[in-house]
Amino acid sequence: KQWADEFLAEVEKSREQQVARAAKALAEGLAHEKAFDYLSAVFTLDAVPVPLRQSIFPAHGEHVHAVLTRVRGKQAECRRLEANIKERIDRKDFAGLDEDVDALLSLEPRRHDLQKIQAQLAARRRALNEQRDTAVADAQRHLQTRSYADALKALTSVDPSAVTPEIVSMRRECES
């Protein structure tokens, strides 16, 4: 009888230690997530025994499985966005790229390379908008003198990513 009581006490003590380690791992995983270190978060949370992953720890209000799923999703999204950004930069496909860069920066805000790309894209967007505004002004001058071919030539010089409904309307006017 004494042996059984000692055994049960050891089992309970071991369980309490595992629960304490799992709670600590959850806290560490959440801290890694907050620091945008998803790889470390996954590594830390994967160390929690599977049977304890569905347990909710009072200090955190969520279970390990939910956090692990969320962090793996963020990690996968980072990989997807990074691959897409690299591919589009290689193809020189910059239209709308700032949205992907912004999304990746929201997941990894300390990435200086992305901040640089973001600044370059913003500068590119400003330059395209200035070129567009100049082309529209030129086209309007040509339209006033009824020089439709010159107006159309000015409007077709606008980068497709900077075309506005006004430009589409002016092109139609020139072509009719």
Side-chain angles (χ1 to χ4, degrees):
K1 173 92 170 133
Q2 180 184 1
W3 173 86
D5 290 340
E6 289 174 7
F7 177 74
L8 288 176
E10 277 298 314
V11 168
E12 184 57 28
K13 181 180 175 185
S14 176
R15 190 184 89 57
E16 288 173 2
Q17 288 173 344
Q18 282 189 343
V19 168
R21 281 194 299 272
K24 183 180 177 190
L26 178 57
E28 287 177 22
L30 289 168
H32 287 303
E33 179 186 24
K34 189 175 181 180
F36 309 103
D37 184 1
Y38 307 120
L39 182 63
S40 295
V42 169
F43 181 76
T44 300
L45 295 170
D46 267 340
V48 174
V50 174
L52 292 176
R53 290 184 184 178
Q54 294 295 336
S55 301
I56 294 183
F57 298 96
H60 307 293
E62 58 186 328
H63 50 77
V64 172
H65 179 73
V67 176
L68 191 54
T69 300
R70 181 177 65 235
V71 171
R72 282 183 176 149
K74 288 179 179 181
Q75 189 179 35
E77 182 65 1
C78 286
R79 283 194 299 262
R80 184 192 70 76
L81 286 167
E82 184 153 3
N84 188 41
I85 290 167
K86 284 180 181 180
E87 177 186 321
R88 290 183 63 191
I89 288 173
D90 289 345
R91 287 184 309 180
K92 300 196 182 324
D93 177 15
F94 303 117
L97 183 59
D98 49 347
E99 293 169 11
D100 284 348
V101 171
D102 291 344
L104 187 51
L105 266 172
S106 73
L107 292 168
E108 296 182 335
R110 295 184 184 107
R111 295 268 311 264
H112 297 294
D113 60 330
L114 292 175
Q115 293 169 0
K116 182 179 177 183
I117 292 169
Q118 186 182 43
Q120 290 171 334
L121 289 170
R124 181 180 184 278
R125 168 66 48 210
R126 284 190 300 277
L128 287 175
N129 287 345
E130 288 174 13
Q131 187 270 338
R132 176 200 62 213
D133 295 344
T134 301
V136 167
D138 288 347
Q140 287 171 338
R141 276 195 303 279
H142 291 302
L143 285 174
Q144 288 175 350
T145 61
R146 302 200 190 292
S147 179
Y148 298 108
D150 290 335
L152 187 59
K153 182 178 177 183
L155 293 172
T156 55
S157 71
V158 175
D159 188 87
S161 67
V163 171
T164 63
E166 176 189 18
I167 292 173
V168 172
S169 174
M170 290 175 74
R171 282 182 183 173
R172 284 189 191 129
E173 182 181 341
C174 292
E175 291 169 346
S176 59

